[in-house]
Amino acid sequence: MSDKNQQIQNLIEHNDELENYFRNTIIPQLFIDGDLKLQKFTPPAMKQFSLSASDIGRPINEIKDNFRFPSIVDNIQQVIKSNEILEKEIQTTDLRWYQMNIIPYVKMRDNKTDGVIITFVEITMRIKDLKEQEKLIADHEILLDTISHDIKNPLANLVLAIDLFKDISP
């Protein structure tokens, strides 16, 4: 096998491994180039955002409604410009919460940002748990305030009675 054929074979194998990763990941991921066109997405992203193969190559602003949050284009542009990761908690119309991370995609050969990778990790249960904890804390504070108020008057009366007994005592 010639050196060129070996290089082609290596590229095919690496591409197959990358495609296998995309097919088998459980995290919704979007790959958007510097021209704000959708280049690739994982199967969970297809389900979550109603994407299809025909969306590949389309500008993200044409399909942003599928993502159910209006600022995605601005967020992508901000990350490309700043070259800094953006983390945001977002809620979709089906009331699910996600930790969205927009990560700059930096080309190694020229060290320039040429798009972003967006990941979505569902945090719905964590948000529900936090809301439950907040409710429990609020209920606990109300209970403590009620107990404090209910005890305050009898204690004040007791202190007055003790003071009266002190005054009466020889």
Side-chain angles (χ1 to χ4, degrees):
M1 189 182 282
S2 73
D3 194 35
K4 190 134 190 112
N5 285 342
Q6 183 60 46
Q7 288 177 338
I8 291 171
Q9 186 61 37
N10 285 344
L11 283 174
I12 290 170
E13 288 176 14
H14 289 303
N15 191 51
D16 286 347
E17 289 174 7
L18 198 54
E19 285 299 321
N20 188 37
Y21 165 78
F22 290 129
R23 278 191 309 273
N24 292 300
T25 187
I26 61 171
I27 298 174
Q29 296 179 37
L30 308 172
F31 299 84
I32 300 170
D33 69 15
D35 295 324
L36 303 182
K37 291 183 180 176
L38 182 63
Q39 293 301 311
K40 196 160 202 58
F41 53 84
T42 59
M46 179 186 290
K47 293 175 193 168
Q48 181 60 39
F49 303 113
S50 303
L51 295 170
S52 68
S54 64
D55 290 320
I56 292 179
R58 288 181 60 202
I60 197 70
N61 63 350
E62 288 180 12
I63 54 177
K64 71 178 181 180
D65 292 341
N66 295 21
F67 303 112
R68 302 180 188 120
F69 46 93
S71 63
I72 191 164
V73 173
D74 293 336
N75 294 156
I76 292 168
Q77 290 172 327
Q78 175 187 343
V79 169
I80 290 173
K81 185 177 178 182
S82 71
N83 202 29
E84 294 181 9
I85 295 172
L86 174 71
E87 295 181 2
K88 193 181 247 189
E89 291 179 353
I90 60 167
Q91 188 177 32
T92 56
T93 55
D94 61 358
L95 304 179
R96 294 162 111 184
W97 284 93
Y98 289 87
Q99 171 72 38
M100 177 181 72
N101 298 311
I102 303 179
I103 304 162
Y105 180 80
V106 179
K107 285 190 172 181
M108 299 305 270
R109 68 176 170 258
D110 57 7
N111 202 30
K112 289 190 178 179
T113 300
D114 189 39
V116 296
I117 300 169
I118 307 174
T119 62
F120 300 88
V121 177
E122 188 166 359
I123 57 171
T124 304
M125 289 308 296
R126 182 171 45 150
I127 297 292
K128 284 182 181 178
D129 288 346
L130 284 173
K131 286 182 180 182
E132 279 296 314
Q133 286 179 353
E134 288 172 1
K135 185 180 179 312
L136 286 173
I137 290 170
D139 290 348
H140 186 252
E141 288 174 354
I142 290 170
L143 178 63
L144 288 177
D145 286 346
T146 302
I147 290 171
S148 171
H149 182 266
D150 289 350
I151 291 177
K152 192 181 274 185
N153 285 339
L155 283 178
N157 290 338
L158 185 60
V159 167
L160 284 174
I162 290 172
D163 287 344
L164 285 174
F165 285 130
K166 283 183 184 175
D167 291 343
I168 297 174
S169 298

